[in-house]
Amino acid sequence: MGNYAVSTELSKKEGTDVATGWSLGTYSFDRYKKDEKNYATLMLPDGADQEMVARTVKAVTLVRDLVNLPAGDLGPTALEAAASQVAGEFEAQQGNIVGEDLLTYHFPMVHAVGRAAADAPRLIDISWGDKDAPKVTLVGKGVCFDTGGLDIKSAAGMLMMKKDMGGAATVLGLAHMIMDANLPVRLRVLIPAVENSISGNAFRPGDILTSRKGKTVEIGNTDAEGRLILADALAAADEESPDLLIDIATLTGAARVAVGTEIAATFTDDDALFSDIANHSELEKDPVWRLPLWSDYRHLLDSKFADLNNAPSGSGFGGAITAGLFLKEFVEKANSWVHFDIMAYNARSRPGRPVGGEAFVMRALFALIQERYGR
């Protein structure tokens, strides 16, 4: 295919972006089908940040590979192993709470959602960095496959459900970037990893679960399971009062209706934080769009029998907003919190973005964290 070089003068940022985009354009998921393509080589533009190019490409590749893996090869155990690889590369500490131990250590909703699966549910907990540094905590939804539970999805609705751990993959990619850059933060990564399966002990519509935070949740629909496992993880993260708490999840179809498949729906009450996210989003070509945490919709989460309902019946409108409001119930102490509802998948092929798993909002968030906490 040949070797190419950029003949025009580029800034450091432009050169870095060109090299990154070129490299990402050569991505192919070839674990099960050999890629026969040959790709041209680009000489690194003068002044480009080679370390940043390598860091970004490695992280995006990690996310894409994890999302593209079928659930038969990436259940909760395998997702834990993937997290261990990332943690081990940077000598981060990792603890895993598995199966019945989730009840002992107070992650009851993670346990309830995942207990019907043969591959036991778990809470993956990674810590890295100086304990006295600003706390940055990442929470990622790790539903390795989602049948919908007893409120079962259609066959068509299950076809893409291997990607329901896209939030977990994205926070692992972002964590890799942060640790690789040795940013001066106290990083924590929490991933509730489950399969939402069906068996005799599956959780049921009408069940009432007591969350880690103590709030009770009536199950209006077992297919709204992501917010349940995130709630327990967010409550654990919030207990440490982090300076910045970020959660990323393939949470609702309503978000895709609102912003489509190529934009990360974004929820936060912190105007300054969103302004910074939006600026970096534009610079990194990593699109976000803010939706409101509209408090007047809180009544839609009301239950006659519990503190909350995970999927209240009614109009069905504003589903991404009510999901965000549900999560907000479990965040009180964090200085800043932002929730991203993402597709985690390219539905069409574009330059540098082939059909398949994708790392939504990761590059924008790394730039934000680097700016806020970098040396």
Side-chain angles (χ1 to χ4, degrees):
M1 296 290 291
N3 298 322
Y4 291 80
V6 177
S7 60
T8 56
E9 187 173 342
L10 301 175
S11 68
K12 179 179 180 179
K13 169 67 172 167
E14 290 170 336
T16 302
D17 287 349
V18 166
T20 301
W22 185 286
S23 295
L24 292 176
T26 67
Y27 173 83
S28 177
F29 183 66
D30 58 2
R31 176 163 173 168
Y32 306 98
K33 184 177 181 180
K34 185 172 176 59
D35 181 12
E36 302 291 350
K37 293 180 181 177
N38 293 313
Y39 295 96
T41 299
L42 177 72
M43 303 298 293
L44 189 71
D46 291 341
D49 185 339
Q50 185 172 2
E51 289 186 354
M52 186 62 191
V53 173
R55 179 179 303 129
T56 304
V57 171
K58 187 169 184 178
V60 172
T61 298
L62 169 66
V63 176
R64 289 176 175 177
D65 283 350
L66 289 174
V67 175
N68 286 331
L69 279 167
D73 289 332
L74 191 77
T77 300
L79 183 56
E80 176 191 316
S84 297
Q85 284 190 313
V86 174
E89 185 174 346
F90 300 100
E91 299 183 350
Q93 296 179 322
Q94 180 174 345
N96 307 298
I97 304 171
V98 181
E100 296 301 306
D101 285 348
L102 289 165
L103 298 176
T104 302
Y105 291 97
H106 309 299
F107 292 94
M109 295 204 295
V110 179
H111 177 270
V113 172
R115 70 192 184 203
D119 197 345
R122 63 206 62 216
L123 190 283
I124 301 163
D125 189 348
I126 297 170
S127 296
W128 173 88
D130 188 341
K131 293 182 179 180
D132 295 325
K135 293 187 177 85
V136 174
T137 301
L138 313 177
V139 177
K141 175 186 170 186
V143 178
C144 296
F145 192 79
D146 182 16
T147 65
L150 291 175
D151 290 311
I152 192 168
K153 293 180 184 288
S154 66
M158 280 190 236
L159 283 176
M160 295 281 283
M161 284 302 101
K162 70 177 184 179
K163 77 173 184 66
D164 213 15
M165 38 58 66
T170 304
V171 299
L172 284 176
L174 179 55
H176 192 286
M177 294 184 77
I178 291 168
M179 292 187 288
D180 185 69
N182 198 29
L183 297 185
V185 298
R186 176 61 174 177
L187 177 67
R188 190 180 186 191
V189 180
L190 289 167
I191 296 172
V194 304
E195 288 188 44
N196 187 20
S197 298
I198 299 172
S199 72
N201 67 335
F203 76 121
R204 296 162 290 262
D207 281 357
I208 294 178
L209 308 179
T210 300
S211 68
R212 179 183 179 87
K213 194 174 179 63
K215 292 178 183 285
T216 54
V217 180
E218 181 182 8
I219 303 305
N221 193 305
T222 62
D223 197 21
E225 84 298 331
R227 67 199 68 183
L228 300 174
I229 65 172
L230 285 172
D232 271 357
L234 283 170
D238 192 59
E239 289 162 9
E240 287 191 331
S241 303
D243 187 64
L244 179 59
L245 174 55
I246 298 167
D247 81 76
I248 306 177
T250 53
L251 202 60
T252 68
R256 309 286 69 76
V257 173
V259 301
T261 61
E262 296 172 5
I263 300 171
T266 308
F267 298 83
T268 182
D269 281 336
D270 189 329
D271 293 339
L273 173 62
F274 181 74
S275 178
D276 288 344
I277 291 170
N279 288 337
H280 288 295
S281 165
E282 185 173 353
L283 288 170
E284 300 299 327
K285 303 297 185 288
D286 201 3
V288 302
W289 194 264
R290 189 181 189 182
L291 295 179
L293 287 164
W294 191 253
S295 59
D296 279 359
Y297 290 167
R298 170 58 181 79
H299 72 278
L300 295 172
L301 299 174
D302 288 346
S303 164
K304 292 181 180 179
F305 307 108
D307 296 322
L308 296 161
N309 192 304
N310 79 320
S313 60
S315 69
F317 296 138
I321 296 172
T322 55
L325 289 172
F326 182 92
L327 298 181
K328 185 181 177 183
E329 293 282 320
F330 299 87
V331 179
E332 292 181 352
K333 298 177 183 178
N335 184 53
S336 292
W337 166 63
V338 59
H339 158 57
F340 295 97
D341 193 335
I342 64 168
M343 178 70 171
Y345 205 85
N346 291 318
R348 63 175 179 133
S349 186
R350 293 170 288 158
R353 294 178 172 92
V355 170
E358 188 55 272
F360 280 59
V361 87
M362 183 181 72
R363 292 177 292 108
L365 287 175
F366 175 77
L368 167 82
I369 293 166
Q370 186 177 44
E371 179 183 70
R372 285 198 166 194
Y373 305 108
R375 294 183 178 87

